[in-house]
Amino acid sequence: RKEVEQDPGPFNVPEGATVAFNCTYSNSASQSFFWYRQDCRKEPKLLMSVYSSGNEDGRFTAQLNRASQYISLLIRDSKLSDSATYLCVVNYNFNKFYFGSGTKLNVKP
Amino acid sequence: NAGVTQTPKFQVLKTGQSMTLQCAQDMNHNSMYWYRQDPGMGLRLIYYSASEGTTDKGEVPNGYNVSRLNKREFSLRLESAAPSQTSVYFCASRIRTGGRSTEAFFGQGTRLTVV
């Protein structure tokens, strides 16, 4: 069983749409959670950390559900520039940093 | 700021050849990592170095060796390349704090093809 599971997509949405991704993790001892963004043929870059109480950064909202072991990312008012692959990352024991295989988002004009 | 720098960016090897991928960071981070990324697999940890002088195996260490040369540099060596090692390799670094978990910063990647 994979440590982190994500729907690979692709999610094809029009500009202005709201889209949500979920990610499940298997280790209940996981301590920290992140969403990374990866553009085609580029390195992953941090989008946002995910806190227990949930957090928002502009159009992006991240939620954590420890009881069900999943995290989510909500993108409101999608822009063309949001087209990318979104990687869910789960961390425990500091150096155990597990990546999901990513969810591809295509935002269409 | 340079951040994390990897060399080379592209490489083609013949089966059985050896090579070393170089990584350097200028952010004074104590932890460094090597990942490989394959289609549909996400990033998988090959080796990591929690601090200068220490290295540990990750999920997929077979066929690789690493050296933490100093705090800045962490190299990955393929002693006898195999086609299964065709992948994109990313180096990353993080700073270890007392409490809060910190983000990892990535290099631009090395695209390796073994023929």
Side-chain angles (χ1 to χ4, degrees):
Chain A
R1 183 182 176 186
K2 288 184 180 180
E3 294 281 345
V4 181
E5 302 256 21
Q6 288 184 256
D7 181 344
F11 285 61
N12 298 308
V13 302
E15 272 187 291
T18 296
V19 62
F21 309 134
N22 283 336
C23 161
T24 58
Y25 60 94
S26 61
N27 192 325
S28 60
S30 298
Q31 298 162 319
S32 306
F33 308 87
F34 306 87
W35 283 102
Y36 275 71
R37 170 191 169 129
Q38 187 173 26
D39 293 299
C40 188
R41 303 178 74 83
K42 298 284 191 180
E43 74 273 24
K45 293 185 178 178
L46 180 70
L47 177 67
M48 59 196 303
S49 302
V50 185
Y51 302 123
S52 296
S53 55
N55 48 299
E56 190 174 303
D57 183 1
R59 298 182 293 108
F60 299 85
T61 300
Q63 297 279 353
L64 167 64
N65 185 319
R66 284 190 184 272
S68 300
Q69 294 182 203
Y70 77 83
I71 67 174
S72 63
L73 178 68
L74 181 78
I75 305 175
R76 290 181 298 278
D77 188 22
S78 299
K79 311 290 185 191
L80 294 175
S81 57
D82 293 334
S83 296
T85 297
Y86 291 84
L87 304 172
C88 169
V89 183
V90 172
N91 176 225
Y92 65 92
N93 195 25
F94 188 76
N95 286 304
K96 305 294 185 183
F97 216 78
Y98 291 101
F99 286 78
S101 55
T103 298
K104 188 171 175 59
L105 173 65
N106 295 318
V107 182
K108 309 285 189 182
Chain B
N1 290 337
V4 181
T5 303
Q6 285 182 239
T7 56
K9 288 187 168 48
F10 302 94
Q11 184 70 49
V12 179
L13 288 178
K14 293 183 178 178
T15 297
Q17 285 185 316
S18 62
M19 79 161 294
T20 300
L21 281 63
Q22 307 286 354
C23 175
Q25 52 89 11
D26 62 2
M27 296 175 283
N28 203 34
H29 287 173
N30 33 25
S31 297
M32 297 185 74
Y33 308 82
W34 277 105
Y35 289 90
R36 60 177 289 173
Q37 186 174 33
D38 302 294
M41 299 291 290
L43 280 84
R44 291 181 293 169
L45 183 63
I46 305 171
Y47 270 93
Y48 66 95
S49 171
S51 61
E52 186 178 352
T54 68
T55 61
D56 285 287
K57 295 178 180 179
E59 302 168 76
V60 289
N62 291 345
Y64 305 96
N65 286 302
V66 290
S67 295
R68 183 75 182 266
L69 303 169
N70 47 55
K71 192 170 186 179
R72 289 187 64 247
E73 298 172 288
F74 188 39
S75 62
L76 178 72
R77 183 159 177 85
L78 286 71
E79 290 292 350
S80 179
S84 61
Q85 294 178 304
T86 293
S87 188
V88 181
Y89 291 85
F90 287 102
C91 176
S93 70
R94 297 169 77 193
I95 193 162
R96 181 154 198 163
T97 65
R100 183 176 62 89
S101 185
T102 57
E103 69 176 288
F105 292 84
F106 286 83
Q108 292 181 310
T110 297
R111 294 184 180 278
L112 176 66
T113 302
V114 183
V115 297

